[in-house]
Amino acid sequence: MKTFIHHITSIDWHVFHFLRPWALWLFIPLGVIVIILLLGNREQKKWKKIIAPALRPFMFSKGNQNAILLPLIFLVSGLSCMILSLAGPTWKKREIPEEKIPSVVMISLDLSRSMTATDIQPSRLERAKMKITDFLDANPRSRAGLIAFAGTPHTVLPFTGDYKLIKHHAASLYNWEMPVQGTDMVLNFALIDTMMKNVEAPSTILLMTDAIDNNEATFLSDYIHNSIHRLEILLFSTPDGAPVPGVEAVISKQDPVTLNNLRQNEKITVTPITLDKSDVEGIAQKISDNLIFEKETKEKAKDWDDMGWILLIPALLITLFWFRKGWVVQWCWIPLVFLSFSSCGVDSKYPDLWYTKDYQAELWYEKGDYDKAAELFQDNPHKAAAYIKAEDFLSAAILLADDTTASGKYNYGLALAKLGLYDDAISAFQEAASKDPDLQNKAYHNI
């Protein structure tokens, strides 16, 4: 009781407002209800005049005016409390701690033919793969993903904390594996954008290439300007350049002017390679120092503390009297009629009024709309399963990368297999089988 009184006396009327002011429109039907009740009571008195005045004292007992007004007053008071509670009165903010989100790093390795040049021994590409190993050995502490690109980009690994796995796959990358030769930076960053669409923390894109022309430099500057992420460029070429193997009369070298223009962007860092590990160690240290991002909480309606529960206390006390003789509201079925004609399925305008997000997701899943189900599921395993059904295997793999359960590893294997990462898929299936004997037959069948 003291708490209730304290909340009432501590109202700050300067900031008082309603979170759901549209609910106040319910006072209109409440007023109509009161008028109907009053008119109905008058109609009941009219027929009594038919009885002769001399007989009326013997036919009717004298009524009590309070027997009519008191239930009506309690009805109006109780429903008013409920409407005001639904409107969400509030006058103070809820203390919400800042959300801490870990950053990631996306490694994008150039596998174009110019990377096979030998002005850097044993070749630009082989040195780049060594630098990936050195970078991960320096422990940037963040999850890392790996993309290989030439004329087209390809996902090698989604974000994972398993650095050994990344180093293993990076070492097995070669130019001859690429289906389209050339260098398409725009397509490369389109894939990066897709893989980082759910990354909310400012993170790092580590681009490992040998040369950037003027058009690519302009594109990279525009891209980073409109992104929350930083771009680290590790350049694998000498000032004099080198001929591109297999292509006559073509020298691959970096234009210093283009490089200087890139350096003007404070969100882009160009690092020349060094003989030791200091180049990648510096990048790793920078990522490690900015690993955790504290997301600022924007001022939203949910930041205000909904104090409507206070009004539910008197409303519930009043409802206790509705079961007394003569107090029962007999036409309370009216709202039920409106509800019966309103849509309460997942296709309705406000499905959240009827079902939880997970239950809605299950209904959409049963209907075969797996994209919608994936959007609504709250936990990653169910969301990933829906992504697999929707054939969005990259999103599923990203969600399942850190799932250590047997079913999680099994589904991770399915997603990796669909992405063409067969060695990793086999490892995931084997781990699932070792964790749960019931999955052994299915896992080995997939292997």
Side-chain angles (χ1 to χ4, degrees):
M1 189 64 181
K2 289 182 179 180
T3 304
F4 177 78
I5 295 174
H6 170 72
H7 282 302
I8 296 297
T9 55
S10 64
I11 296 177
D12 185 353
W13 295 103
H14 294 289
V15 295
F16 181 90
H17 65 283
F18 291 101
L19 298 177
R20 297 172 291 275
W22 51 265
L24 298 176
W25 287 102
L26 293 173
F27 277 109
I28 293 177
L30 176 59
V32 173
I33 290 170
V34 172
I35 293 171
I36 293 173
L37 285 175
L38 292 174
L39 292 177
N41 186 60
R42 289 181 61 186
E43 289 295 327
Q44 290 177 7
K45 290 181 180 180
K46 286 182 180 181
W47 70 270
K48 296 179 181 180
K49 296 179 182 180
I50 301 173
I51 308 299
L55 296 176
R56 288 176 192 170
F58 303 100
M59 298 290 295
F60 307 107
S61 60
K62 188 176 181 179
N64 186 352
Q65 191 68 17
N66 290 336
I68 300 172
L69 292 178
L70 200 56
L72 185 59
I73 292 171
F74 270 67
L75 171 67
V76 173
S77 301
L79 290 179
S80 295
C81 288
M82 292 181 182
I83 292 172
L84 291 173
S85 176
L86 180 62
T90 183
W91 55 89
K92 60 180 182 180
K93 282 191 172 183
R94 185 186 300 117
E95 292 184 5
I96 302 176
E98 291 184 335
E99 185 180 358
K100 294 184 178 181
I101 308 172
S103 62
V104 297
V105 56
M106 172 56 70
I107 304 171
S108 181
L109 176 62
D110 189 350
L111 285 186
S112 58
R113 189 166 293 170
S114 61
M115 286 290 287
T116 61
T118 56
D119 54 336
I120 297 176
Q121 293 296 321
S123 70
R124 295 176 179 180
L125 179 56
E126 290 304 316
R127 182 63 64 88
K129 292 192 284 189
M130 293 176 189
K131 288 295 182 181
I132 290 177
T133 299
D134 293 340
F135 169 71
L136 296 174
D137 287 342
N139 191 19
R141 296 197 300 148
S142 66
R143 292 191 304 146
L146 179 61
I147 286 176
F149 74 98
T152 53
H154 302 274
T155 303
V156 180
L157 277 176
F159 291 109
T160 176
D162 190 344
Y163 289 171
K164 289 183 179 179
L165 188 63
I166 299 173
K167 288 187 282 187
H168 170 73
H169 280 280
S172 63
L173 296 175
Y174 298 95
N175 165 258
W176 53 264
E177 296 176 317
M178 303 307 289
V180 180
Q181 294 298 322
T183 304
D184 196 322
M185 197 67 72
V186 175
L187 284 181
N188 176 38
F189 273 79
L191 179 57
I192 291 174
D193 226 16
T194 300
M195 294 189 66
M196 300 185 75
K197 64 181 178 181
N198 295 322
V199 177
E200 297 184 49
S203 299
T204 302
I205 301 169
L206 177 55
L207 177 62
M208 309 180 82
T209 187
D210 55 355
I212 298 172
D213 62 30
N214 191 52
N215 291 333
E216 291 172 339
T218 302
F219 166 76
L220 292 175
S221 296
D222 292 340
Y223 177 89
I224 290 299
H225 177 74
N226 297 312
S227 172
I228 62 171
H229 308 303
R230 290 186 56 85
L231 176 61
E232 293 279 349
I233 300 175
L234 198 57
L235 210 58
F236 294 86
S237 59
T238 57
D240 295 332
V244 178
V247 182
E248 294 183 5
V250 174
I251 302 295
S252 172
K253 60 185 294 186
Q254 179 59 56
D255 179 14
V257 176
T258 301
L259 214 56
N260 288 331
N261 290 337
L262 268 176
R263 288 193 174 104
Q264 301 306 311
N265 192 319
E266 60 182 14
K267 292 175 66 178
I268 298 178
T269 303
V270 181
T271 303
I273 62 168
T274 60
L275 294 175
D276 58 8
K277 302 178 182 180
S278 60
D279 47 3
V280 289
E281 286 178 345
I283 297 172
Q285 186 61 49
K286 191 186 302 182
I287 294 170
S288 180
D289 291 342
N290 297 279
L291 181 64
I292 301 299
F293 169 68
E294 291 189 352
K295 184 180 178 182
E296 293 183 3
T297 54
K298 297 180 180 179
E299 186 172 312
K300 300 177 182 177
K302 66 179 181 181
D303 296 342
W304 289 88
D305 203 358
D306 190 343
M307 304 302 293
W309 63 269
I310 294 176
L311 292 169
L312 286 178
I313 297 174
L316 291 173
L317 290 174
I318 290 171
T319 56
L320 295 177
F321 292 91
W322 283 10
F323 298 96
R324 287 172 56 88
K325 184 178 180 180
W327 286 51
V328 179
V329 181
Q330 297 182 4
W331 42 266
C332 58
W333 50 267
I334 293 178
L336 297 178
V337 173
F338 284 106
L339 288 176
S340 65
F341 283 103
S342 65
S343 174
C344 59
V346 289
D347 297 317
S348 64
K349 190 173 182 181
Y350 303 106
D352 292 345
L353 293 174
W354 310 102
Y355 306 116
T356 63
K357 294 285 189 184
D358 282 322
Y359 189 70
Q360 291 177 53
E362 289 179 11
L363 294 177
W364 283 116
Y365 190 93
E366 291 174 1
K367 288 185 174 185
D369 193 337
Y370 303 115
D371 289 315
K372 188 71 174 178
E375 180 185 338
L376 290 169
F377 271 125
Q378 299 298 292
D379 60 300
N380 285 348
H382 284 91
K383 190 183 287 285
Y387 274 131
I388 289 176
K389 282 287 189 179
E391 298 186 357
D392 186 352
F393 303 113
L394 177 58
S395 297
I398 292 171
L399 288 173
L400 293 168
D402 297 326
D403 193 335
T404 58
T405 64
S407 60
K409 288 296 180 184
Y410 178 80
N411 288 329
Y412 187 44
L414 291 177
L416 292 174
K418 291 295 185 179
L419 290 170
L421 305 174
Y422 301 119
D423 292 338
D424 299 327
I426 290 172
S427 299
F429 286 134
Q430 289 173 338
E431 191 169 349
S434 65
K435 288 177 177 288
D436 186 356
D438 292 337
L439 288 175
Q440 284 184 355
N441 290 336
K442 293 172 67 176
Y444 289 126
H445 173 75
N446 283 318
I447 289 174

